[in-house]
Amino acid sequence: MYCPYCRYPDSRVVDSRTTDDGVAIRRRRQCPDCGRRFSTTETASLNVVKRSGVVAPFSRDKIINGVRKACQGRPVTDADLAVLAQRVEETVRSTGAAQVEANDIGLAILHPLRELDEVAYLRFASVYQAFDSLDDFEAAIALLRVEHDAGAAAGPASTSPDVVAAADGTSANANTPAAASTTRTKPRASDAS
Ligand SMILES: [Zn+2]
């Protein structure tokens, strides 16, 4: 990189060390032209693009602050929030992208938050997904109930509306090939003869 003093287009690494928390490497550099020293910090970059278009570095603290409001009065500790923020970061980093949409961060929060506290999850989801009626709450609660009934180890179950639609009308799946592959049932043969 350029020397910040004289703009000389090269520099020599004098010293490298990992920061105490292990998330960055700090390098001491020296300009071969003017001889002055400066430091650089190297981290695995992960930036968040906000809806406004502004780009900011990913921050676990911002995740925690965003979720903490939804957890007011709930039995959720600071340690729980720290673990949640770590899980969100791991999820987002696992995509391999150096830059993610703020929307994807919100999505990555929903699943671990639901495991942590369902009331906090509903509060957070209502803001993040812009619930604007009781119907939205009822739908979200109904989905939680369905997954409770299906067993505690609930994965993502976004297909249930299609399954319900197809279950009571055999013509409903004509335009949805993806759903049809799992829900298609032949009409009963009783009336066919
Ligand atoms: Zn220089």
Side-chain angles (χ1 to χ4, degrees):
M1 65 175 287
Y2 281 58
C3 168
Y5 302 104
C6 71
R7 314 299 292 170
Y8 186 80
D10 196 12
S11 62
R12 189 167 62 86
V13 176
V14 182
D15 183 43
S16 281
R17 63 184 59 184
T18 307
T19 55
D20 290 342
D21 55 7
V23 301
I25 292 174
R26 179 154 293 139
R27 293 205 162 89
R28 196 84 183 122
R29 293 172 179 269
Q30 185 169 31
C31 173
D33 192 43
C34 73
R36 282 192 267 195
R37 294 190 170 197
F38 56 97
S39 295
T40 56
T41 305
E42 181 181 308
T43 57
S45 75
L46 181 58
N47 286 317
V48 180
V49 187
K50 298 179 187 172
R51 261 155 240 158
S52 61
V54 173
V55 177
F58 177 90
S59 157
R60 287 192 194 181
D61 286 344
K62 284 184 186 165
I63 302 290
I64 290 171
N65 288 337
V67 172
R68 193 191 299 279
K69 286 175 211 150
C71 294
Q72 274 176 12
R74 301 299 304 166
V76 175
T77 65
D78 284 351
D80 291 334
L81 291 175
V83 170
L84 180 138
Q86 182 183 344
R87 288 181 65 186
V88 170
E89 180 170 352
E90 284 167 1
T91 300
V92 173
R93 281 197 189 276
S94 70
T95 65
Q99 190 161 294
V100 295
E101 307 281 327
N103 194 46
D104 294 332
I105 304 280
L107 280 176
I109 288 171
L110 287 175
H111 184 64
L113 183 56
R114 194 175 74 183
E115 289 183 357
L116 195 56
D117 187 274
E118 289 180 341
V119 170
Y121 161 79
L122 280 173
R123 288 174 179 164
F124 183 85
S126 72
V127 174
Y128 165 68
Q129 296 178 319
F131 288 9
D132 60 4
S133 71
L134 282 178
D135 289 346
D136 290 334
F137 281 96
E138 283 175 352
I141 292 167
L143 192 58
L144 284 175
R145 290 231 166 89
V146 165
E147 290 171 5
H148 275 242
D149 292 347
S158 58
T159 56
S160 47
D162 290 336
V163 174
V164 171
D168 60 2
T170 49
S171 63
N173 55 21
N175 295 327
T176 55
S181 64
T182 53
T183 60
R184 173 184 292 139
T185 51
K186 291 260 168 74
R188 294 252 164 143
S190 55
D191 295 333
S193 61

